[in-house]
Amino acid sequence: MASSTTNADQIVYDAAEDLGEEMKKEPYSLMIRVGWTFSGGEPSGEYALKIPNHDNIGEKFSNGVIVIKNRLKVLKGTGELEITPTNGPTYRSKVILGPLSNTQTPAGLAQRLTNLGFYAGTDGIFNGRMAWAVRAFKRIKMNDYTRNKVEVENNAATKAFLIAVQNAFGVHPGDEVTGDLSLTFSNAAVPYCGMFGNHVYKRGNFENAKLKNDVDNGPKATGIWGGVSAAEYKNEPIAGEYELHLRAFDPKTEDAFSNRVNLPQPIHMAQFVLFELGYWLVGGNGNWVQLDNTWTRNSFKPDGGFGRYTQWAVREFQCHAKLGYAAKEDVDSTEKRYMPRLFKLSQSPPKLTGDARYPDDGRISGALNEKTRAALQAWADGVLRCPVIVYATTDTRDGSNLDKIVKENLWLHNDLASNNPRMYAIDYSNYYFNLPLDLFPPQNSYNGLVSRYGGKVTFSGNTFPKPIVLGYYDKAYDGGPCVVAGRHTWDQSYVEIRPDTLIGKGGNNGIGLSDKELSTFKVIRTVSHFECYAFFDCINAYDDVTISFGPCHWTAHSCMGGEADATGARELPAFLAYVKYIYPENYKAFFGVFGLGTKSKWPIKISGGVNTYNDKFMMQTEDGEQNLYGNSDRLNENKYLKSWHWFYRFIMATRISTYLHRAMWHFTRIRIGDILNHEFEFTIGQGKETKTKKIKVGQYATSEKAVVMLLRYHIRYPGNLFTVLKEIMKDLISKFPNPENDKIEKAREDEMISKILEKSQLRDNESFRKQMRDLNSWVDVPQLGFPKREYYELNLIDKTLSSEPGSFKFDDLPVQVE
């Protein structure tokens, strides 16, 4: 048998059999019909056949037919076939000339499947690789890419299947199919076969600013070759370590018959396998059908273009292949829906080992690098599936009633653009409930959280991970995932913004907090009532800013504005840069492991005029990092982070990461300090007494009421606040030139609050105007018993939101890293 050397241009041959007598006979002939595994068509180009002790044969061919008439000196032997189509790279494969085993034998079936582009090996061992090839052939060649359309896509080699394989390869004399073929499954190791090529395929326009669309380099008209140009890659093996079996014939005694060789298409194959593994993201959001009252996808045809959704799907696969466990599909099941086929075999999720486990240091690049290609093949061989499944259901109790699933396996933010069903996630990886305890503060309640929200449930005899509530789809603005407080949020003891969850002490009543901590907490808690309804996991991805969360609802990049909006820096990346700086291991566990980065490292320079910290999200590439939005159609590019799986990651971080909560406490205090310490320069006095004086905002805003109103204003209109503040301060200084005059401080504070309210009512947003009126009227922090917020558990012993001058005690102590 031939074996490849390290030099792609050489082939080392085994010792040939004694062919002396055979070579004296009349020459033999060989016919090969050349096609593509996926896209059909009849390639033209050049070929070369190299056989030891034989003159090399090479010439042009057209319309997908290679005919070697009366030129072969042997009927059997070992060599190399090289094919260079005009619209694709050169392919080389080891070749065995000789009689093929019959189709109705394991070896004969495997040889034909491999020649047809489904790499089943050639020895006939019915392992995971050959079983995959059987199912893949059925899906593509018999069912026209639609599951079970004609032939049930299990591992059975039925007579109809065998005949279809025989016809696709070419019927040879004496090869008769009389019935089914019994195949006994073997757990033998499956060697890597290079079914996705040997190069790093990636989406060029994401990393190359010169490319402005989703079409990569290479021939575009035919759609045959996806990925790269023929000129760039010239040494693409057809079947890796597997050889092709071809049968020559004697034209004197036999009629001409053909052998099929389908040329591989790595990008098509990757797309096909990704969809099979559950990464339906690869196909965009089309082709949904309703089966058994559930919307699902049972059809997908790869196009070979390494565009946005293919890149996103590869990126998602890399994320999940790091997590340790996968789901598994029952390929013998006749279930029409996808999820029930997983529950049959995934009660004990398979652990990812060997090639199936993407390395911990593997880049989440969205590129088909070597480790990704190996993992994809291992997952296909092992019928492993994406461990996280997001679905919509009318079961609002706990999501475990599988009969109430409305739509399954959601990916894009608008895969189900309806406000009615509730979304849940089932996670076989168990990643979030198996994190190292050193990621959590001492005496943290992580173990209690795991016991409450982790574990398994059973429905109709199927046991699977306990569903995790995510939220629903909101049609507002750009539309997308959203969480409603008290309906989709977790238990208050974990996710309500209280002293114990935000600061790490003080319970839900504030006992044990210093005066500064309590006063500062009351301001932050009051503002959070408007932004996240005082729940860490009350986040949204329906707005025009991709996704937002936290007490100030820090936002990411725009999805609806113009070019500048799409690429502009915002606060959420800056916040996560701060998290990475202060709690690096937590950042890595909740964000970095999934390839999310920030452009800048903390400290970040504050943005002038608005007094906010802004940055940009970065995504890993093979060679470094790239802005989230890449270099094409930026508004849609940003929507990757509002997909349901990224929403799941963000929401689990806000629920579980105690240190993320601590960072919110610190980061919001930084914001308050920046507002209060902001200085304006004024001219005071007249004539010779005139002088300039720098005055800080905090010298005139000293009450809890004034500070909370300033903070709310700054969150909503950060640029406008300092414009109106300068006007407010100018008026106040003219009336109260000495901020240290205690006799008039009450009147001055009331005037400050009144002016903030007055300026806020000039904004064109009624919701904001009402919020500011509410703040002005409230005497207490919204908490237990607050109207229409019955789910609050906060019950402060000092709940007053005071307007008295000097009532705000600012906890501006340096951050203490735990």
Side-chain angles (χ1 to χ4, degrees):
M1 184 181 297
S3 60
S4 299
T5 67
T6 55
N7 187 335
D9 293 322
Q10 290 183 315
I11 292 290
V12 178
Y13 300 97
D14 295 332
E17 298 181 40
D18 183 6
L19 303 176
E21 291 300 319
E22 187 173 359
M23 287 185 177
K24 296 177 183 178
K25 296 180 181 180
E26 295 293 330
Y28 303 109
S29 300
L30 179 66
M31 178 184 288
I32 305 171
R33 292 195 178 275
V34 182
W36 301 95
T37 302
F38 290 90
S39 53
E42 298 175 334
S44 298
E46 297 180 353
Y47 77 89
L49 180 63
K50 305 171 186 178
I51 302 174
N53 303 318
H54 194 291
D55 294 335
N56 291 342
I57 299 173
E59 55 194 6
K60 295 182 183 298
F61 71 98
S62 61
N63 299 320
V65 178
I66 295 174
V67 180
I68 304 173
K69 292 183 178 179
N70 300 316
R71 295 178 64 182
L72 292 179
K73 296 179 181 179
V74 295
L75 278 173
K76 56 184 178 179
T78 303
E80 177 196 50
L81 177 65
E82 178 181 282
I83 299 176
T84 305
T86 56
N87 54 352
T90 296
Y91 302 98
R92 288 189 176 97
S93 179
K94 293 171 288 185
V95 167
I96 303 294
L97 279 181
L100 276 71
S101 302
N102 288 341
T103 304
Q104 201 169 328
T105 64
L109 174 60
Q111 291 162 6
R112 286 164 176 79
L113 287 172
T114 294
N115 278 34
L116 292 169
F118 306 103
Y119 308 116
T122 57
D123 52 15
I125 297 176
F126 190 62
N127 51 21
R129 168 100 315 262
M130 185 174 173
W132 172 86
V134 168
R135 300 190 305 273
F137 178 89
K138 292 179 179 180
R139 171 67 63 89
I140 296 171
K141 300 299 182 181
M142 300 181 74
N143 291 329
D144 191 26
Y145 295 96
T146 301
R147 177 179 170 81
N148 295 342
K149 183 177 180 180
V150 174
E151 182 79 2
V152 176
E153 292 170 27
N154 53 23
N155 293 336
T158 65
K159 181 179 179 180
F161 161 72
L162 295 174
I163 291 174
V165 171
Q166 183 187 56
N167 290 335
F169 180 82
V171 180
H172 287 186
D175 183 20
E176 183 180 1
V177 175
T178 60
D180 299 345
L181 172 61
S182 178
L183 296 169
T184 302
F185 192 84
S186 168
N187 289 315
V190 180
Y192 182 68
C193 68
M195 62 189 289
F196 306 106
N198 286 345
H199 301 283
V200 177
Y201 301 98
K202 54 189 175 181
R203 180 180 164 207
N205 68 340
F206 184 77
E207 303 179 26
N208 188 335
K210 296 179 181 179
L211 301 176
K212 300 296 184 182
N213 53 48
D214 279 343
V215 180
D216 259 330
N217 290 324
K220 304 178 181 66
T222 61
I224 295 294
W225 172 253
V228 293
S229 64
E232 187 174 354
Y233 291 156
K234 282 289 187 181
N235 298 292
E236 186 70 19
I238 286 180
E241 295 302 312
Y242 293 142
E243 66 271 358
L244 301 182
H245 282 245
L246 302 174
R247 181 178 173 185
F249 63 92
D250 186 344
K252 286 189 174 182
T253 60
E254 296 176 297
D255 294 330
F257 54 84
S258 64
N259 303 270
R260 185 75 177 185
V261 173
N262 277 346
L263 303 181
Q265 296 164 276
I267 310 304
H268 289 79
M269 183 65 80
Q271 291 174 318
F272 176 79
V273 170
L274 283 164
F275 188 85
E276 180 186 28
L277 302 187
Y279 294 89
W280 297 357
L281 176 64
V282 70
N285 59 3
N287 299 325
W288 290 92
V289 296
Q290 193 170 27
L291 299 174
D292 293 340
N293 297 318
T294 297
W295 287 94
T296 186
R297 297 181 73 169
N298 67 345
S299 178
F300 165 71
K301 186 175 182 178
D303 61 13
F306 209 118
R308 174 184 298 119
Y309 296 131
T310 299
Q311 182 203 34
W312 288 3
V314 173
R315 193 182 295 278
E316 288 296 316
F317 173 75
Q318 291 167 333
C319 288
H320 292 120
K322 277 188 175 185
L323 299 188
Y325 292 88
K328 191 166 185 174
E329 181 177 354
D330 180 3
V331 295
D332 290 319
S333 172
T334 58
E335 287 277 1
K336 296 179 181 179
R337 296 178 297 166
Y338 173 70
M339 290 175 62
R341 300 198 301 272
L342 303 184
F343 298 139
K344 299 292 184 183
L345 292 180
S346 296
Q347 294 183 17
S348 297
K351 187 174 183 178
L352 299 178
T353 59
D355 285 344
R357 176 70 185 269
Y358 194 57
D360 288 340
D361 61 353
R363 298 188 69 78
I364 308 299
S365 62
L368 279 175
N369 56 39
E370 180 182 5
K371 294 296 184 180
T372 302
R373 297 193 303 270
L376 275 174
Q377 179 185 310
W379 279 51
D381 295 342
V383 292
L384 304 179
R385 301 296 181 254
C386 178
V388 180
I389 309 102
V390 178
Y391 60 101
T393 177
T394 56
D395 176 14
T396 58
R397 183 179 61 89
D398 64 2
S400 64
N401 187 334
L402 304 184
D403 292 336
K404 293 187 176 183
I405 295 177
V406 176
K407 203 167 190 176
E408 60 179 2
N409 203 21
L410 306 176
W411 285 90
L412 293 175
H413 73 283
N414 57 353
D415 269 346
L416 181 59
S418 170
N419 287 32
N420 294 322
R422 183 171 293 184
M423 314 304 183
Y424 286 85
I426 289 176
D427 189 347
Y428 283 100
S429 76
N430 202 37
Y431 178 74
Y432 291 106
F433 299 120
N434 195 34
L435 291 167
L437 289 179
D438 58 5
L439 292 177
F440 303 91
Q443 291 83 46
N444 181 260
S445 57
Y446 175 66
N447 287 330
L449 182 148
V450 171
S451 63
R452 175 165 183 177
Y453 291 103
K456 299 180 178 181
V457 295
T458 299
F459 178 80
S460 295
N462 295 316
T463 301
F464 47 90
K466 188 181 295 183
I468 299 170
V469 63
L470 295 188
Y472 78 113
Y473 176 89
D474 196 305
K475 293 182 178 180
Y477 297 99
D478 186 52
C482 181
V483 171
V484 174
R487 187 184 302 172
H488 311 129
T489 47
W490 274 8
D491 182 81
Q492 288 94 329
S493 60
Y494 302 110
V495 296
E496 185 182 357
I497 295 179
R498 312 185 322 185
D500 53 351
T501 60
L502 186 66
I503 307 173
K505 59 181 178 179
N508 73 330
N509 52 26
I511 294 177
L513 297 183
S514 68
D515 289 345
K516 288 184 175 182
E517 288 171 333
L518 179 58
S519 184
T520 305
F521 171 80
K522 288 193 293 183
V523 167
I524 295 176
R525 165 63 190 235
T526 302
V527 165
S528 74
H529 171 83
F530 297 112
E531 289 299 325
C532 61
Y533 298 101
F535 280 79
F536 294 118
D537 63 343
C538 190
I539 70 180
N540 85 67
Y542 65 76
D543 213 335
D544 61 348
V545 287
T546 306
I547 195 163
S548 58
F549 63 80
C552 303
H553 253 230
W554 302 293
T555 63
H557 307 285
S558 176
C559 296
M560 295 181 68
E563 179 82 355
D565 298 315
T567 61
R570 288 183 176 267
E571 289 183 273
L572 185 56
F575 168 65
L576 290 188
Y578 177 76
V579 175
K580 186 176 183 179
Y581 171 74
I582 195 169
Y583 301 122
E585 291 304 313
N586 264 251
Y587 178 87
K588 179 180 178 181
F590 288 97
F591 304 104
V593 69
F594 302 112
L596 185 66
T598 59
K599 185 175 182 179
S600 306
K601 294 182 179 180
W602 190 268
I604 295 173
K605 185 178 180 180
I606 197 167
S607 298
V610 294
N611 271 30
T612 59
Y613 301 94
N614 300 290
D615 200 39
K616 300 179 181 182
F617 277 131
M618 306 292 285
M619 306 304 293
Q620 290 179 359
T621 64
E622 280 298 284
D623 306 316
E625 289 185 318
Q626 174 59 276
N627 290 117
L628 168 66
Y629 48 74
N631 289 293
S632 67
D633 193 10
R634 292 169 169 84
L635 293 172
N636 282 319
E637 201 69 42
N638 290 339
K639 294 179 182 179
Y640 175 54
L641 286 189
K642 64 191 294 179
S643 63
W644 279 106
H645 281 249
W646 263 107
F647 189 76
Y648 172 61
R649 292 170 192 139
F650 281 122
I651 203 171
M652 292 304 286
T654 60
R655 286 170 172 171
I656 290 177
S657 177
T658 306
Y659 285 125
L660 186 69
H661 302 165
R662 298 289 186 274
M664 292 178 185
W665 164 247
H666 305 324
F667 203 65
T668 309
R669 287 189 297 142
I670 291 173
R671 187 180 196 133
I672 294 171
D674 289 336
I675 295 171
L676 297 182
N677 290 322
H678 190 85
E679 289 184 327
F680 295 105
E681 188 172 273
F682 297 100
T683 301
I684 300 175
Q686 295 179 348
K688 295 182 179 181
E689 301 298 322
T690 301
K691 60 180 179 179
T692 60
K693 186 176 183 180
K694 290 183 178 180
I695 300 179
K696 293 181 178 181
V697 173
Q699 292 178 266
Y700 279 79
T702 66
S703 68
E704 292 171 342
K705 181 68 66 68
V707 173
V708 79
M709 291 179 73
L710 286 175
L711 180 58
R712 177 68 198 117
Y713 200 126
H714 189 241
I715 291 170
R716 186 63 183 85
Y717 297 106
N720 179 255
L721 173 63
F722 293 98
T723 300
V724 301
L725 255 181
K726 189 169 186 178
E727 297 173 3
I728 292 173
M729 296 286 287
K730 183 178 180 180
D731 289 342
L732 286 173
I733 291 171
S734 65
K735 292 183 180 180
F736 311 102
N738 185 3
E740 288 79 28
N741 189 334
D742 294 340
K743 295 181 179 179
I744 57 174
E745 63 179 3
K746 174 59 177 169
R748 186 193 65 221
E749 193 70 26
D750 289 344
E751 183 76 4
M752 181 70 171
I753 295 171
S754 176
K755 289 291 185 181
I756 297 171
L757 178 63
E758 176 186 321
K759 294 295 185 181
S760 72
Q761 299 309 296
L762 299 178
R763 305 304 301 175
D764 59 1
N765 187 306
E766 173 55 26
S767 176
F768 170 71
R769 294 198 299 267
K770 182 179 184 306
Q771 291 172 7
M772 295 298 284
R773 293 195 299 269
D774 288 343
L775 284 176
N776 182 59
S777 65
W778 288 348
V779 295
D780 293 329
V781 174
Q783 56 172 358
L784 183 68
F786 190 79
K788 298 182 180 180
R789 292 290 179 267
E790 294 82 2
Y791 45 80
Y792 281 166
E793 285 192 349
L794 181 67
N795 194 20
L796 297 176
I797 53 171
D798 177 8
K799 61 182 180 179
T800 304
L801 189 63
S802 177
S803 60
E804 291 298 312
S807 59
F808 179 63
K809 310 296 183 183
F810 186 33
D811 180 16
D812 59 351
L813 295 175
V815 171
Q816 299 296 316
V817 178
E818 298 174 66

